[in-house]
Amino acid sequence: MKIKAIIVDDESHARSFLKKLCNFYYEDKIEIVDQCNSVSSALISIKKHSPNLVFLDIQMPDENGFELLSHFESLTFEIIFTTAHKEYAIEAIRKSALDYLLKPIDVQDFKAAISRLDAVLEKKQSINKYELLTENLNHSNSGKQRIAFPTKVGFDVVQINKIIFCKSDGSYTFIQTTEQQHYTSKSFKEICELLEFEKQFLKVHRSYLVNADYVKNFKSEDFVLEMTSGDEIPVSDQKFRKNNLIDAITK
């Protein structure tokens, strides 16, 4: 069965380009059932066509793309956001385990987003990622943002300021919080990228990312950090010098 999709963007050339990408690479998989230039016209179209997917531009003149979410108690379709601006909202999208494409849209990024969409549609996840997105947008400066990451059985959601440290574990990442332990199928590199704008997180070793708020002390003779959880985290000499570690953890 084909994926029914609607493109929502106030710029006609952006709608046309995205439709061409879908038709060229996924003609047998994706059917563009409508194109809309505003949130209001998208609401009518969604009601009429019941799509599986909406490509949704964030910046539009009247209502921005996020405001579309407020018109639904629950969403029966997936969303891939599109935007020309890399801003704080993108971080909220990423932390909510949602997909987005930066304009001008790169073909490989587009293909990767569709590949992830296939996995989501095949195994519908239990968390309300759009509700989490709204929450993260509202709490962008409050320290109460949460992050969603995939596990073997679905998704775990963790409050960011409760993460003590993250550790690379092959293709998985181990995450220790103040409440429990988690394993995510996201790579350590991806977790670091998700948390890179959180000033309390420091990469102290090629395999460790720590939350400076939970550092108890630094053992200079062993070059390890003792965390409030009792865990000891190795520190590489390179990261120690690059991050000016002593200043960073005593701020």
Side-chain angles (χ1 to χ4, degrees):
M1 186 178 72
K2 277 191 174 183
I3 295 171
K4 293 193 298 181
I6 292 173
I7 299 171
V8 185
D9 197 308
D10 63 303
E11 297 178 336
S12 60
H13 66 87
R15 296 194 302 271
S16 176
F17 180 67
L18 196 46
K19 183 177 181 179
K20 286 177 181 177
L21 283 178
C22 291
N23 289 343
F24 186 81
Y25 291 103
Y26 298 103
E27 183 179 8
D28 296 332
K29 179 182 289 188
I30 300 174
E31 178 188 3
I32 303 300
V33 295
D34 201 4
Q35 299 180 58
C36 307
N37 62 5
S38 66
V39 168
S40 58
S41 60
L43 289 170
I44 295 170
S45 182
I46 289 168
K47 185 176 181 180
K48 177 181 178 181
H49 295 286
S50 299
N52 309 107
L53 170 66
V54 173
F55 291 100
L56 181 60
D57 186 26
I58 295 176
Q59 290 85 16
M60 289 185 286
D62 298 324
E63 290 184 285
N64 69 48
F66 294 128
E67 290 174 312
L68 177 75
L69 306 181
S70 65
H71 293 276
F72 297 89
E73 285 189 13
S74 62
L75 298 185
T76 58
F77 51 88
E78 295 298 318
I79 294 176
I80 295 178
F81 291 98
T82 61
T83 179
H85 304 285
K86 202 170 185 179
E87 54 187 10
Y88 85 93
I90 295 298
E91 292 311 305
I93 290 171
R94 292 170 70 204
K95 288 167 185 170
S96 307
L98 291 161
D99 242 320
Y100 71 96
L101 294 168
L102 278 176
K103 298 177 184 178
I105 294 173
D106 177 80
V107 171
Q108 295 307 314
D109 290 343
F110 169 73
K111 288 182 175 180
I114 300 302
S115 178
R116 288 189 291 268
L117 174 70
D118 282 340
V120 169
L121 292 177
E122 185 176 330
K123 183 178 180 181
K124 192 70 176 176
Q125 306 298 346
S126 59
I127 66 167
N128 190 328
K129 294 179 287 186
Y130 303 104
E131 189 175 286
L132 181 59
L133 170 63
T134 301
E135 179 184 319
N136 281 340
L137 287 168
N138 291 336
H139 292 152
S140 59
N141 297 311
S142 71
K144 294 182 179 179
Q145 281 198 330
R146 297 193 294 162
I147 184 172
F149 48 80
T151 66
K152 288 182 178 179
V153 295
F155 279 87
D156 280 354
V157 180
V158 171
Q159 193 165 310
I160 291 173
N161 61 12
K162 291 185 178 180
I163 296 174
I164 299 174
F165 70 91
C166 305
K167 176 187 175 183
S168 174
D169 189 1
S171 58
Y172 287 79
T173 304
F174 170 81
I175 298 175
Q176 177 69 60
T177 74
T178 57
E179 297 167 344
Q180 64 185 101
Q181 299 174 341
H182 302 265
Y183 274 94
T184 173
S185 53
K186 275 192 177 294
S187 69
F188 181 67
K189 180 177 182 290
E190 290 175 301
I191 292 295
C192 289
E193 288 173 349
L194 281 173
L195 296 173
E196 66 181 338
F197 294 105
E198 307 297 326
K199 60 183 179 181
Q200 72 269 39
F201 285 92
L202 303 170
K203 191 175 181 184
V204 298
H205 186 278
R206 64 182 181 182
S207 300
Y208 286 90
L209 183 75
V210 304
N211 186 336
D213 293 340
Y214 294 102
V215 173
K216 187 176 181 180
N217 62 59
F218 174 61
K219 296 181 179 179
S220 56
E221 66 278 12
D222 301 318
F223 248 56
V224 298
L225 292 173
E226 184 181 0
M227 310 302 289
T228 56
S229 59
D231 296 284
E232 292 192 342
I233 309 297
V235 178
S236 73
D237 180 69
Q238 181 185 13
K239 297 295 183 183
F240 179 86
R241 299 178 190 282
K242 181 180 178 181
N243 290 330
N244 198 3
L245 192 63
I246 299 300
D247 290 343
I249 65 179
T250 55
K251 281 183 179 178

